[in-house]
Amino acid sequence: MVEPDYLKFDTLSLHAGQEPDPTTGSRGVPIYQTTSYSFVDTEQAAGLFNLEQPGHIYSRISNPTVAVLEERLAALEGGVGAVCTASGMAAFHLACATIMSAGNHVVASRNIYGGSHNMLNLTMPRFGIETTFVDPRDLNAWESAITPDTRVLFAETLGNPGIEVLDVPAVAEIAHAHGIPLMVDATFTTPYLMRPIELGADIVMHSVTKFLGGHGIALGGVIVDGGRFDWAANDKFPTLSQPYDGYHGITFSEEYGHQALSMRARAEGLRDFGAAMSPANAFHLLQGVETLPLRMRRHVENTKTVIDFLETNDAVSWVSHPSVSTHPDHELAQSLLPNGAGAILSFGIAGGREAGRRFIESVQLASHVANVGDAKTLVIHPASTTHQQLSAEDLVAAGVGEDLIRLSVGLEDSSDIIADLARALRASQKG
Amino acid sequence: MQIEFRDAMVNVATGGVELNKDLPPVLLVHGAGMDRTVWSQQTRYLAHHGFAPMALDLPGHGDSEGALLPSVAEMAEWVGAFIEMMALGPVRLVGHSMGSLISLEVAARYPQTAERLILMGAAAAMPVHPELLGAAERNEILAPQLMTAWAHGSRAHIAGNPTPGLWMRSGCQALLERAAPDVIYNDLAACNSYEAGDVAARIECSVSVMVGSEDKMTPPKATAQLVAGFSEVDLQHLDGIGHMMMMEAPDQIRDLLLQALG
Ligand SMILES: Cc1ncc(COP(=O)(O)O)c(C=O)c1O
C-alpha cells in the first residue's frame, strides 16, 4: 500500500517551521529580537497592512522566531495554523474572544485548571459571556447544557486534578451536531500523547509553559486551528463568516476558508488584545519542543515506576491516574492515549490536610511550585494553592479533596524520585 | 459573493471587495477536491491592483451548490457558460491542476470567453495513481493525505510558509478533508480520463505556464509535453517548488501572475 511520505513526529519536533537562516546560514533558530520590520516600499507596506500579501509588520502581530514555534506546533498537532501568545491563559482568552461576543455561552468541563475556571466563571460574565460547567464524563450533561447561544464546548484532554480523560470523539460529535466547535486544552497530553484534531477537536490550546517547553523557564501559550470546522455553515460565528470593517470589509471564511480562525485570531486578536509571545520566550520554548518526544517517553516511564511505588505505600490511601486499572477512564485512556496518559497524577495522603502539609514540607528533591510539566518533579497541595479560590462545594465538584496531593513526575532518575517521596511520606505520618 | 446560475448558488471570492465590473475580470479555477481558497494569497492583491478577481468554487465544491460535473469537458462547458452569463466580456482565465485542464478546454472551445490563459500545475495528461483513485472512491482519509504529500515540494514539507503561523501540509490536507464525500473521486476520475488531443494547438489567446521543479503531480516533463503544443507560450520555472505553487511561493506567483495578466 502507498503511504503519504510525511515527515514523522520526532523529525517535525526538530525541523518543522525552520530552514537555515537564508542570510547567515544559522542552523539554530535565530532570536529576531526586534519590534518592527523595514518595509521595501510604501506599496509593500500597504499590502501587508491590508492582508494582500504575507509578511511581518510589528512583533505584536507576528515575529519570525515566534512564527517558527507556531508552525512547529501546528505541524505537531496536525493543525492548519497556530497563534502563539504570552501565556496559556492568553491563548484561552484569544480563542474565546475570536469566536465569541457578548450574549454567547460556553459549556465547559468543571474539572479544569483553576485559572481557566476563574476566567469562565468570574471574568467572562463581565463581558456578557456565560458558562455552564458540566461533569466531563457525563455526555448527557454536555448535550443538555447546550443552548441556542452556545458557541463552544471546552474541556481539558486530561482534567485537572482528577486526570479525567476526555472522550474527545464523543464530545466532538455532540458539538458538531449543534453546529459548534470543540476546543480542548491539551496541555497535559501534548501532541506526543494525543492529537485531538485527528480525534475530532476543532481548536487545541496549550499552556506551552508546561511539557512543550519542558524546562520551566518561559511562559507561553498557543491556539492551534484544526481547520476542519466550517465557520460559515450557520450564522453563529459572525466574526469569521461576516464582513469585518477592520480590514476593509474582509470576510475571513470567504477569503481563507479553513484557515479563517488562524487569520482572524492574529489579525484582530493579537493586534488588538496584544498578548503576543516574546521572541526570546519562543526561542526558549523551541529548545524544549525539539526534545518533546524523548522527554514524554521518559515522563511516562517514570510515572509508571512512581505509581507502582505509591500503590504499595501505607501512607497513600489512593492513587489516581488513568493508567491505574481502578481509574474510571482506564479503558478510554488505553484507546485514546496509547503512548501513555501523561505524567500528572494525584494521590490521597492518609491523615488528610495536616499530613498533606507535612508531606509537602518534607520533600527535598521534588519542588513545591504552582506549576506542572517541568523536567523536574513537582508537587502541590491544590486545596491550599491552585484551587483555593473555590468554595468548599466547588472543591468537591472539581474533585479536589483536602487530602489530594498532585504530583508532576519529572525526568530525574526514578529511584531518586521514589526515595524522596518515601522519606516525605514517612514524615507526613509523624504528626 | 453568491451568484445564481443554472438554479444553484455559485460562490465566488472577489478578494474582499465588491466585484468591480470596470476592471479587467480574472477568473481563477481551482484543482481537484479543492476550492477558491487555494488563491487566497493572490485574490486580495489582484483586487487592490487593478483587476476584478473571481476565485470560483466549482459546482459541489467549497460553498457552491450544484451537482458535481463528471468530466473536464462538462466542467469546461459549465465554466464557459458561467463566463457568458456574467457578461463581463472575455476573462483572463487562470487554472491550477484540474483547473488548468478546464481552462485549456474553455479557451479552446469557447475562444470568445478567454482573453488570456494562465496555467499552473498543468500537463497534457493527468494519470492518477490507482491507489489514490481507489482511496478517493472509498472516501478514505488516505486520499487527502496522498494528495497533500505529493502536492508539495520538499521545502514545503518542513517550513517556509510566508504567512506567519500557517502550516502548509495540514492546510492542504484539511482543505481536502472538507470536500464533501465523492468530490475528490469525481475530480480525480475526471483528470484521469482526460485526453488533451490537439487542444493546445487550438488555443488562440496568449498563454503563460508556471511549473514547479519539484512538482510530483504534474512534473516538469509532463508540463513540457503540453507546452510543446502551443504556438506561443511564456513558460516560467519555479525552483524548489511543488504543485501547490500559489501557496508554496505566493510572492513569486503573485509577481508572475501580475506580469502574465498584462
Ligand atoms: C491545564 C492548564 N491550562 C492552562 C494553564 C494556564 O497556562 P499559563 O500559566 O501558561 O498561562 C495552565 C497553567 O497552569 C494549565 O495547567
Side-chain angles (χ1 to χ4, degrees), chain A residues 13-218:
Chain A
S13 301
L14 285 157
H15 289 277
Q18 195 224 356
E19 27 187 13
D21 185 69
T23 323
T24 62
S26 169
R27 180 63 275 200
V29 180
I31 306 177
Y32 286 93
Q33 193 66 50
T34 183
T35 56
S36 37
Y37 305 84
S38 296
F39 300 125
V40 177
D41 50 30
T42 49
E43 143 96 9
Q44 184 233 11
L48 287 171
F49 275 103
N50 195 29
L51 299 181
E52 289 166 32
Q53 56 194 93
H56 303 288
I57 298 173
Y58 187 65
S59 285
R60 173 164 19 87
I61 302 168
S62 67
N63 170 281
T65 310
V66 180
V68 173
L69 179 61
E70 289 168 334
E71 213 174 329
R72 190 163 303 176
L73 294 176
L76 294 178
E77 288 288 5
V80 299
V83 180
C84 279
T85 53
S87 69
M89 286 311 301
F92 187 35
H93 175 263
L94 177 64
C96 290
T98 301
I99 61 172
M100 287 188 285
S101 303
N104 290 162
H105 173 253
V106 179
V107 181
S109 159
R110 67 186 186 198
N111 304 110
I112 55 176
Y113 168 60
S116 305
H117 192 277
N118 284 339
M119 187 182 105
L120 291 176
N121 191 41
L122 304 175
T123 311
M124 292 308 257
R126 290 203 292 111
F127 300 93
I129 297 171
E130 302 287 337
T131 296
T132 302
F133 292 95
V134 299
D135 173 355
R137 290 190 181 114
D138 184 349
L139 296 180
N140 290 331
W142 285 105
E143 174 84 45
S144 51
I146 295 172
T147 76
D149 295 325
T150 308
R151 293 294 177 270
V152 67
L153 305 187
F154 173 73
E156 293 174 3
T157 53
L158 288 178
N160 198 342
I163 326 297
E164 300 81 5
V165 180
L166 184 72
D167 191 343
V168 177
V171 181
E173 198 179 317
I174 294 171
H176 297 161
H178 290 268
I180 55 176
L182 169 65
M183 169 156 72
V184 297
D185 178 337
T187 301
F188 281 17
T189 41
T190 80
Y192 179 76
L193 296 178
M194 183 197 271
R195 300 188 8 122
I197 293 167
E198 286 169 7
L199 297 174
D202 303 291
I203 308 171
V204 176
M205 61 147 284
H206 289 275
S207 170
V208 186
T209 317
K210 309 296 181 327
F211 292 103
L212 286 169
H215 33 44
I217 60 172

Side-chain angles (χ1 to χ4, degrees), chain A residues 211-371:
Chain A
F211 292 103
L212 286 169
H215 33 44
I217 60 172
L219 283 175
V222 69
I223 58 174
V224 182
D225 176 1
R228 274 73 168 179
F229 188 79
D230 187 355
W231 303 102
N234 54 46
D235 59 4
K236 290 178 192 278
F237 302 97
T239 55
L240 296 170
S241 65
Q242 296 299 317
Y244 172 52
D245 284 341
Y247 292 90
H248 302 273
I250 193 171
T251 299
F252 283 90
S253 64
E254 179 70 38
E255 294 289 312
Y256 302 109
H258 54 296
Q259 288 159 336
L261 174 70
S262 310
M263 295 301 289
R264 174 120 186 182
R266 183 183 306 283
E268 178 199 46
L270 285 187
R271 187 196 61 185
D272 297 358
F273 304 126
M277 177 182 282
S278 79
N281 273 15
F283 172 82
H284 288 306
L285 295 165
L286 275 164
Q287 309 317 306
V289 173
E290 291 199 347
T291 58
L292 176 71
L294 294 174
R295 288 185 292 104
M296 291 312 289
R297 278 172 217 140
R298 172 70 173 247
H299 274 297
V300 166
E301 206 180 283
N302 275 2
T303 301
K304 184 177 180 315
T305 313
V306 166
I307 288 172
D308 289 346
F309 159 75
L310 288 174
E311 284 192 311
T312 55
N313 190 286
D314 288 341
V316 174
S317 38
W318 52 267
V319 180
S320 177
H321 186 265
S323 66
V324 176
S325 61
T326 51
H327 190 280
D329 301 322
H330 181 64
E331 266 181 43
L332 187 61
Q334 287 185 316
S335 75
L336 296 187
L337 296 157
N339 292 334
I344 296 163
L345 59 97
S346 51
F347 63 90
I349 194 156
R353 179 177 281 267
E354 258 314 289
R357 191 186 56 76
R358 283 195 296 270
F359 170 82
I360 292 284
E361 284 169 5
S362 307
V363 287
Q364 289 170 3
L365 186 65
S367 316
H368 180 210
V369 298
N371 194 19

Side-chain angles (χ1 to χ4, degrees), chain A residues 6 17 19 50 254-255, chain B residues 16 36 44 49 155 158 173:
Chain A
Y6 282 168
E19 27 187 13
N50 195 29
E254 179 70 38
E255 294 289 312
Chain B
R36 66 190 184 280
R44 247 180 114 65
H49 286 80
R155 180 170 172 248
I158 295 180
Q173 191 182 313

Side-chain angles (χ1 to χ4, degrees), chain A residues 1-7 12 15-19 43 50-56 62 67 70-71 74-75 78-82 195 226-232 247-251 253-259 262-263 266, chain B residues 1 11-16 35-37 40-41 43-45 48-49 63 129 131-132 142 144-146 148-150 155 157-175 177-178 216 247 250-251 254:
Chain A
M1 197 185 97
V2 284
E3 302 240 346
D5 51 353
Y6 282 168
L7 295 171
L12 293 173
H15 289 277
Q18 195 224 356
E19 27 187 13
E43 143 96 9
N50 195 29
L51 299 181
E52 289 166 32
Q53 56 194 93
H56 303 288
S62 67
E70 289 168 334
E71 213 174 329
V80 299
R195 300 188 8 122
R228 274 73 168 179
F229 188 79
D230 187 355
W231 303 102
Y247 292 90
H248 302 273
I250 193 171
T251 299
S253 64
E254 179 70 38
E255 294 289 312
Y256 302 109
H258 54 296
Q259 288 159 336
S262 310
M263 295 301 289
R266 183 183 306 283
Chain B
M1 162 173 148
N11 189 56
V12 168
T14 52
D35 69 18
R36 66 190 184 280
T37 60
S40 62
Q41 295 297 319
T43 41
R44 247 180 114 65
Y45 186 83
H48 290 91
H49 286 80
D63 290 338
H129 192 293
E131 291 202 45
L132 169 55
L142 179 64
Q145 288 172 340
L146 289 175
T148 302
W150 294 334
R155 180 170 172 248
H157 274 276
I158 295 180
N161 198 325
T163 305
L166 295 190
W167 169 242
M168 219 172 294
R169 190 178 91 187
S170 298
C172 182
Q173 191 182 313
L175 172 60
E177 279 183 42
R178 283 164 66 119
K216 291 190 199 127
M247 289 289 174
D251 294 321
R254 216 175 25 246

